[in-house]
Amino acid sequence: GESVGLHLPTLSVQEGDNSIINCAYSNSASDYFIWYKQESGKGPQFIIDIRSNMDKRQGQRVTVLLNKTVKHLSLQIAATQPGDSAVYFCAEKGPGGYNKLIFGAGTRLAVHP
Amino acid sequence: DVKVTQSSRYLVKRTGEKVFLECVQDMDHENMFWYRQDPGLGLRLIYFSYDVKMKEKGDIPEGYSVSREKKERFSLILESASTNQTSMYLCASSLSGARGYTFGSGTRLTVV
């Protein structure tokens, strides 16, 4: 909702620039990662995912990079648009067990004209 | 498209009330989850269910219980609402073996 973006790290970019949102994950054994986008007043929506046997995956205007050595995940958005303004969460899934995802705290992306 | 529907967008309840938050999904997903979302804390798992009548505690189950009598419906219950349970509550579902979740739009609960 509207208050989700408060107290979060904020990345401010100009419309048309590329955005990079970073995430440090916690479990070196996690084998699957997802980026979600949450717009004001809505639930999180799936953007892109990546398995631990990959280090890069591309979608439409988005790219996810995975660096397992330093447990780091990034989301790159090309030609950022005003509609990209939202809170972005990374999530990780550990091996085995139930399909439980662990979410990061999120980053707010603000796109300025 | 999978739909996860949360029955209320906004709720205001009084301290001590018993509160029910309802969630329904329409794609026969085995797994369902309840999260709460607070500014700066991200999403924290309260409870999840991997089958009808099955439930598992998440990271912050205290003060909550759940019910899953039918596969499509997962209810979160606040036995005696307290002001520290004021939050955004998000329901999600997924197939077993699948990885990503589909989320509902959330219920913003205020306890006064």
Side-chain angles (χ1 to χ4, degrees):
Chain A
E2 292 79 1
S3 67
V4 167
L6 298 178
H7 314 301
L8 288 177
T10 298
L11 175 64
S12 293
V13 300
Q14 293 293 123
E15 182 178 356
D17 286 352
N18 296 334
S19 303
I20 300 176
I21 301 171
N22 296 305
C23 176
Y25 63 90
S26 58
N27 186 349
S28 58
S30 290
D31 60 0
Y32 178 70
F33 305 88
I34 306 177
W35 280 100
Y36 282 91
K37 172 186 180 183
Q38 186 175 24
E39 296 176 278
S40 181
K42 297 182 179 180
Q45 294 179 289
F46 173 92
I47 303 174
I48 192 168
D49 60 0
I50 188 168
R51 297 184 187 276
S52 60
N53 61 354
M54 303 170 69
D55 53 20
K56 179 179 180 179
R57 189 161 188 229
Q58 289 185 290
Q60 187 177 13
R61 278 204 308 121
V62 295
T63 300
V64 55
L65 298 177
L66 175 63
N67 184 332
K68 295 182 286 294
T69 303
V70 294
K71 295 193 290 184
H72 184 266
L73 197 65
S74 69
L75 177 70
Q76 300 178 358
I77 304 173
T80 313
Q81 301 168 1
D84 295 325
S85 293
V87 176
Y88 290 81
F89 295 95
C90 66
E92 63 184 293
K93 180 191 173 298
Y98 303 114
N99 186 23
K100 276 174 57 179
L101 295 177
I102 300 168
F103 289 83
T107 297
R108 179 174 170 265
L109 178 64
V111 182
H112 302 286
Chain B
D1 272 358
V2 177
K3 283 191 178 173
V4 178
T5 304
Q6 295 184 232
S7 54
S8 304
R9 290 297 302 272
Y10 299 95
L11 277 178
V12 180
K13 296 292 182 180
R14 295 192 180 278
T15 300
E17 277 193 79
K18 189 169 186 176
V19 181
F20 293 85
L21 302 184
E22 304 289 348
C23 176
V24 177
Q25 50 92 6
D26 66 358
M27 283 299 289
D28 207 34
H29 282 181
E30 292 86 3
N31 301 324
M32 297 188 75
F33 307 84
W34 274 106
Y35 285 86
R36 65 175 284 176
Q37 183 176 35
D38 300 288
L41 295 178
L43 281 73
R44 293 181 292 167
L45 181 63
I46 304 172
Y47 267 96
F48 67 102
S49 169
Y50 54 91
D51 202 351
V52 176
K53 297 191 185 294
M54 305 304 286
K55 60 185 179 184
E56 292 285 336
K57 292 180 179 179
D59 300 318
I60 51 164
E62 295 78 18
Y64 303 95
S65 62
V66 290
S67 172
R68 191 152 181 218
E69 295 298 314
K70 294 184 178 181
K71 191 174 186 180
E72 67 269 21
R73 185 181 297 271
F74 192 36
S75 304
L76 180 69
I77 304 156
L78 287 66
E79 297 289 343
S80 177
S82 63
T83 54
N84 63 12
Q85 292 179 308
T86 291
S87 187
M88 169 71 87
Y89 289 86
L90 289 163
C91 176
S93 73
S94 77
L95 285 168
S96 289
R99 306 304 186 99
Y101 296 174
T102 300
F103 281 90
S105 296
T107 296
R108 182 164 295 282
L109 173 67
T110 302
V111 182
V112 296

